Amino acid sequence: MTALTTAVSAPVERMSSRHKLVLTLLLGAQFMLAIDFSILNVALPVVGSGLGFSLDGLQWIATAFALPAAGFTLLFGRVADLFGRRRMLLAGMALLAAGSLVGGLATAPAMLLFGRVLQGLATAIATPAALSLLTTSFPEGPLRTRALGLSGALMSAGFTVGAILGGVLTDLLSWRWAFLVNVPVAVLILAVTPAVITESRARDGAKLDVPGAVTVTGGLLALVYGITTAGARGWTAPAIAALLAAAALLVAFVLVERRSPAPLAPVHVLTRRTVTWGNVGGFVAFATETSLVFLLTLYLQQVLDFAPLATGLALGVLGAGTFAGGVAAPRIMGRLGGRTTLVSGLVLQAAATAALLGLGESRGGLGLLLAATAIGGFGNLVAIVAFMGIATSGLPDGEQGLATGLATMTQQVAITLGIPVMSAVATANTSVLGGVHAATAVNVAIVLAGAALVRSFLRRT
């Protein structure tokens, strides 16, 4: 039996005061990083008009963040193992403060995009470091599951809160505060972390696998660029070339890892069923729910004519559902086990999302939207906590940076790719409502397919 199942019969463990302090600090850092994914979504038109972005150029505000956030995560997860997790968390926070300051003070498109690139790099550095500090600070079992539950709740809720906060700041102050709000929080984390968290790193003396780092980072960058370009402009030559380059580089990465004496991602870790299928379930959960937020933003603003602030507040119910799911997930995992919890969460999410196909052109369906998104958010977070627990279980502390780097990469690549794919499906339809319905149906199909795959290939955990 694994630690995930023994949680049922084990005596209840309590967190010490230091555990609670460490958890509060790390959750605060992760929550702030998660907010950055979506805080500009509802403000893009305002940002574009304020700085002179073309309509086609608006997508680069999101892409400039997503490319480094997704492309460099696996690399920096391993760097944190080797050179110090606390050190990398601090470096990420410092870079986040600098990028947010550059973006908030931007006077031209290039300056704003540079700030977004710095924010994306900061996310790639700090997120796996914070998550691996969390998993190494709490022993595998009930305490770690509780910590991961709260982490998953806040990370997913952060995406929704980002949309709400972006709408509030844009309407009441200025879009610039969507950047500047990060600066004092990052500075506070920089000041407190050295006193609360001790340094943690792998003790095996391994060196960084440079060929593996180059191939996987290049492959992920090309993959994200290809998919986002295809979603925005169609299957043009640049998009196809980027995807072919991604395939070649990722195949080269696998070949390099098989022969490397100190691989960036050891094959024995990548081929573990818990790692492989846990990450598949996590990818489906993140890609579908975050892209659903995009679809609902489109529906609320372009079909129901909601303002950014009202859109953000309407999506707040989704955030409440996700938080409740994160809090309840550890108990559900203790009763059902990891695999059943992951599959059940995905099925509940799919059922709630399918109910959104009943939305129409009137505001009379707003109650349906609020109820369905709350229930779907609950199921989504239950699945995400199960994914985090499964994907990081059974591995020694020296490989937790790698495991959490893989999990974080899964999250960020899923968020990055889900939105352009659903956007392409939605915009292929002649009407906005018809496009939202078509993309919602595809969303449901993907979730159900993911649940079926996980149930079939992941052993009961």
Side-chain angles (χ1 to χ4, degrees):
M1 296 177 68
T2 66
L4 292 178
T5 52
T6 55
V8 179
S9 56
V12 176
E13 299 181 49
R14 295 185 179 275
M15 291 187 185
S16 66
S17 298
R18 184 168 185 82
H19 274 143
K20 293 177 181 178
L21 192 59
V22 169
L23 185 62
T24 300
L25 180 64
L26 293 176
L27 291 185
Q30 290 177 315
F31 185 63
M32 184 179 66
L33 291 165
I35 283 176
D36 274 344
F37 272 103
S38 59
I39 194 167
L40 284 178
N41 282 2
V42 298
L44 286 180
V46 180
V47 176
S49 61
L51 289 182
F53 276 89
S54 66
L55 187 60
D56 290 342
L58 282 179
Q59 63 152 330
W60 285 104
I61 297 176
T63 304
F65 177 92
L67 277 171
F72 287 92
T73 296
L74 183 59
L75 168 61
F76 284 118
R78 187 55 177 161
V79 169
D81 274 341
L82 300 179
F83 298 105
R85 295 161 184 138
R86 186 183 72 175
R87 180 179 297 171
M88 296 306 293
L89 175 62
L90 293 173
M93 287 295 105
L95 192 60
L96 180 67
S100 299
L101 196 60
V102 170
L105 301 177
T107 56
M111 186 175 176
L112 184 134
L113 293 178
F114 179 64
R116 288 294 277 170
V117 169
L118 293 182
Q119 285 184 319
L121 276 173
T123 299
I125 294 169
T127 303
L131 191 54
S132 58
L133 282 170
L134 188 147
T135 57
T136 54
S137 297
F138 294 87
E140 188 171 340
L143 284 184
R144 184 184 292 182
T145 302
R146 285 172 59 196
L148 288 173
L150 291 171
S151 173
L154 288 179
M155 287 174 71
S156 185
F159 190 88
T160 306
V161 171
I164 300 170
L165 187 60
V168 171
L169 292 175
T170 300
D171 272 9
L172 301 183
L173 296 172
S174 164
W175 61 264
R176 295 183 182 278
W177 282 99
F179 285 94
L180 297 176
V181 71
N182 289 330
V183 177
V185 181
V187 170
L188 178 63
I189 292 172
L190 283 168
V192 174
T193 296
V196 174
I197 298 177
T198 57
E199 186 58 280
S200 167
R201 71 182 73 188
R203 300 296 180 183
D204 55 9
K207 296 181 179 180
L208 183 63
D209 174 21
V210 175
V214 171
T215 51
V216 73
T217 301
L220 290 172
L221 288 172
L223 176 66
V224 171
Y225 176 80
I227 294 292
T228 53
T229 302
R233 302 177 184 174
W235 294 102
T236 58
I240 295 172
L243 292 175
L244 291 175
L249 286 167
L250 292 175
V251 169
F253 169 67
V254 174
L255 297 177
V256 166
E257 297 307 275
R258 289 183 181 278
R259 298 183 180 183
S260 174
L264 181 70
V267 175
H268 76 273
V269 174
L270 294 177
T271 54
R272 287 178 64 99
R273 287 199 179 195
T274 51
V275 173
T276 301
W277 293 105
N279 277 283
V280 167
F283 182 91
V284 169
F286 272 109
T288 53
E289 192 70 7
T290 51
S291 61
L292 183 65
V293 172
F294 165 78
L295 294 175
L296 292 175
T297 300
L298 195 67
Y299 172 74
L300 289 168
Q301 291 194 3
Q302 296 195 17
V303 177
L304 299 188
D305 199 27
F306 275 35
L309 177 58
T311 299
L313 293 175
L315 294 175
V317 176
L318 172 61
T322 57
F323 186 82
V327 173
R331 293 185 180 181
I332 297 173
M333 284 181 69
R335 291 179 179 274
L336 302 181
R339 184 188 71 167
T340 304
T341 301
L342 177 52
V343 172
S344 300
L346 290 175
V347 171
L348 179 61
Q349 177 191 332
T353 304
L356 295 173
L357 293 171
L359 295 176
E361 295 183 350
S362 73
R363 298 189 178 186
L366 191 58
L368 169 64
L369 184 148
L370 296 177
T373 53
I375 295 170
F378 181 93
N380 176 257
L381 237 296
V382 167
I384 286 173
V385 173
F387 140 64
M388 289 287 189
I390 292 169
T392 59
S393 65
L395 295 171
D397 283 356
E399 292 177 344
Q400 282 299 318
L402 168 62
T404 56
L406 283 169
T408 306
M409 181 192 72
T410 294
Q411 168 196 333
Q412 292 172 349
V413 172
I415 292 172
T416 302
L417 300 187
I419 292 176
V421 169
M422 291 302 161
S423 175
V425 174
T427 55
N429 201 288
T430 54
S431 72
V432 174
L433 181 60
V436 169
H437 281 166
T440 301
V442 171
N443 190 299
V444 172
I446 292 173
V447 178
L448 291 176
L453 287 171
V454 171
R455 187 180 187 281
S456 299
F457 294 105
L458 180 64
R459 291 192 181 97
R460 187 178 299 277
T461 56

